[in-house]
Amino acid sequence: MTEKPIGLARGLTNYGDSAFSLYLRRSFARSMGYSSAALARPVVGIAYSGSGFNNCHRAFPELLAAVKRGVTAAGGLPIEFPTISLGEVFLNPTSLMFRNLMSMDTEEMIRAQPMDAVVLMGGCDKTVPAQLMGAASADLPAVQLVAGPMMTGRYRGERLGACTDCRRFWAKYRAGDVSSEEIGEIENNLAVTAGTCAVMGTASTMACIAEALGMSLPGTAAIPAVHADRLRAGEATGALAAELARKPRRPSEIITEKSVENALRVLLALGGSTNAIIHLTAIAGRLGIRIPLTRLNELSETTPVLVNLKPTGPHYMEDFYAGGGVGAILRELKPVLNLDCIDVSGETLGDRIEAETNLFVDRDVVRPASAPLEDKGGLIALFGSLAPRGAILKRSAADHSLFEKEGRAVVFTSLEDLAARMDDPDLDVTPDDFLVLQNAGPTSPSGMPEAGYLPIPGKLARAGVKDMVRISDARMSGTAFGTIVLHVTPEAAQGGPLALVQNGDRIRLSVAQKCIDLLLDEAELARRRAEDERKRAARTAPKRGYAKLYHDTVLQADQGCDFDFLRG
Ligand code: FES
């Protein structure tokens, strides 16, 4: 039996003579100064997403050196390769639109290049799900290494962290409580180091999910980007990848129905980002694992919120790291977790928890399950005539006094309409109304941006209104808060009932019953549906390039917004 090729001998270019192909590849590799001994080692690829357009990955050059040190010390040959990077705030129309592109880039480059294992270096919001999706599809041994969160800044004695405080101060500025000069000073102090947003936003949530899934080394999710432990985590990740290159353990062995359920539990206990449900659905979907939103609700009823971080609590990611990190949550959730799941190192979750004894936990940051922040999970799915396939509400970040309510719809038909009229002094709106944004879903021209956190209309904000029920098919930043119903599915651009809502309609929200209903009779709905179909038929879709691929193949939010042809 011939041995499977390793390292540079894998996946040779086919010239019809494999010995020639290897000879040619080695001679070009030698031009980079590698010795014969180095070229004989198993290769650890490092998917590198550093970019001048990604502030969160600014510390990657030093972290990369640490990973390479670990790979080399463990007998592998580290070779980094670039993939596209997704710097959250630098992308138009929205970073989500490019998550699938990055996942394809990652998958294909893992598959096409000669490597035996891969380290995935990501961090900023969409990069970690993109890399995990790509790695799951390629199914080569892979370890996720995240950038780690930013440290907080200071403003007049107050700690600041992107990006919950960005929104908090902007709301104050809109209400006239903060001057232009002050908002300029705040801008200088919101994001003061390398690393991902300092709160439990999407990046931090996905880092914790990667660890809970078992795809990154235990204890590494929350280490700040600039902490020396982050470099040690890089070195250890490199060493593990070199081991995996010799003794493969594939993503499909780690990401299973059971580990996905563990990750969902952790997401709920974190009070984590609403985006994470889309991303986890997409990652699991690559391996044929489905996450029905009804299952999310079942888990949510039996998973307490334990983590007291912004946007729902007062603390930041650096406090979470010092206060116990993901391990502290896992130990509290032990009775409801699937303990036989293995992680990248081959250790079971049960063994990990067993080994973590006498560790310090800051109980103001990670609460015990016996005294949680809330006894039910942070996220729930709502269903009803407005959202037949579901919508998401982050109940841990919402105003509970708005949970059982009927309101009058104030409708914005697009983001442009929202921008044009939100601050109009003549806008007919009261604090008891429900703000509705249409046409901001996956196939809309805006590509499902984080626009679901609709601003409070200017005149109400100035009058002191802090929260209202807001409903859309958009997403919301993981760092935002409010009574915000998101991901309404099917979206308006695909003819979902959200498209049929008009000013003055009545909508009923019941968090207790997990429902959201448009209170219209069937005859009126049918009339409006026919009208909407006519309008949609007249719309033009993108005709070329990635925008066309995205528009034609992206799935709805309940299927993770993956491309239909990429799912497992
Ligand atoms: Fe990169 Fe927030 S901008 S994580």
Side-chain angles (χ1 to χ4, degrees), residues 1-6 9 18:
M1 196 175 88
T2 48
E3 276 192 15
K4 265 194 142 185
I6 64 153
S18 60

Side-chain angles (χ1 to χ4, degrees), residues 203-378:
S204 301
T205 306
M206 289 311 301
C208 296
I209 281 181
E211 185 176 329
L213 273 175
M215 285 300 293
S216 44
L217 273 174
T220 58
I223 306 169
V226 295
H227 198 298
D229 283 349
R230 174 59 54 201
L231 297 175
R232 283 185 275 275
E235 191 176 310
T237 299
L240 172 65
E243 185 190 316
L244 289 175
R246 293 196 186 85
K247 289 189 222 143
R249 192 170 301 109
R250 297 176 188 282
S252 57
E253 297 170 63
I254 297 161
I255 304 173
T256 62
E257 212 159 302
K258 284 181 171 183
S259 70
V260 167
E261 193 162 298
N262 287 343
L264 276 169
R265 292 268 190 202
V266 167
L267 166 62
L268 292 162
L270 289 170
S273 163
T274 47
N275 284 314
I277 186 69
I278 292 184
H279 298 320
L280 188 55
T281 301
I283 295 163
R286 291 297 180 95
L287 293 164
I289 301 163
R290 307 287 178 245
I291 305 180
L293 290 177
T294 45
R295 184 65 184 140
L296 173 75
N297 279 346
E298 285 164 18
L299 296 176
S300 201
E301 289 305 301
T302 52
T303 309
V305 179
L306 301 175
V307 178
N308 198 13
L309 252 61
K310 291 198 175 205
T312 53
H315 298 292
Y316 294 90
M317 282 301 286
E318 65 198 58
D319 308 317
F320 181 50
Y321 179 55
V326 172
I329 306 174
L330 294 171
R331 295 194 293 279
E332 292 302 321
L333 294 181
K334 183 180 172 191
V336 292
L337 294 177
N338 300 303
L339 300 176
D340 54 342
C341 294
I342 55 162
D343 66 20
V344 271
S345 72
E347 188 182 37
T348 67
L349 179 58
D351 287 345
R352 172 189 173 172
I353 291 174
E354 223 34 59
E356 291 180 345
T357 51
N358 293 326
L359 297 183
F360 170 73
V361 177
D362 183 339
R363 286 300 177 196
D364 197 39
V365 178
V366 182
R367 296 285 172 85
S370 55
L373 286 162
E374 296 186 25
D375 54 10
K376 291 178 181 173

Side-chain angles (χ1 to χ4, degrees), residues 422-442:
M422 180 52 80
D423 289 336
D424 182 344
D426 295 329
L427 183 68
D428 179 13
V429 65
T430 75
D432 286 325
D433 292 334
F434 288 11
L435 303 178
V436 175
L437 172 65
Q438 298 166 325
N439 296 308

Side-chain angles (χ1 to χ4, degrees), residues 293-294 297 381-385 387-391 513-517:
L293 290 177
T294 45
N297 279 346
L382 305 169
F383 298 91
S385 59
R389 281 166 55 186
Q513 291 173 25
K514 300 193 178 62
C515 66
I516 183 117
D517 287 305

Side-chain angles (χ1 to χ4, degrees), residues 56 88 124-125 196-197 203:
C56 299
E88 181 63 21
C124 193
D125 279 34
T196 50
C197 286

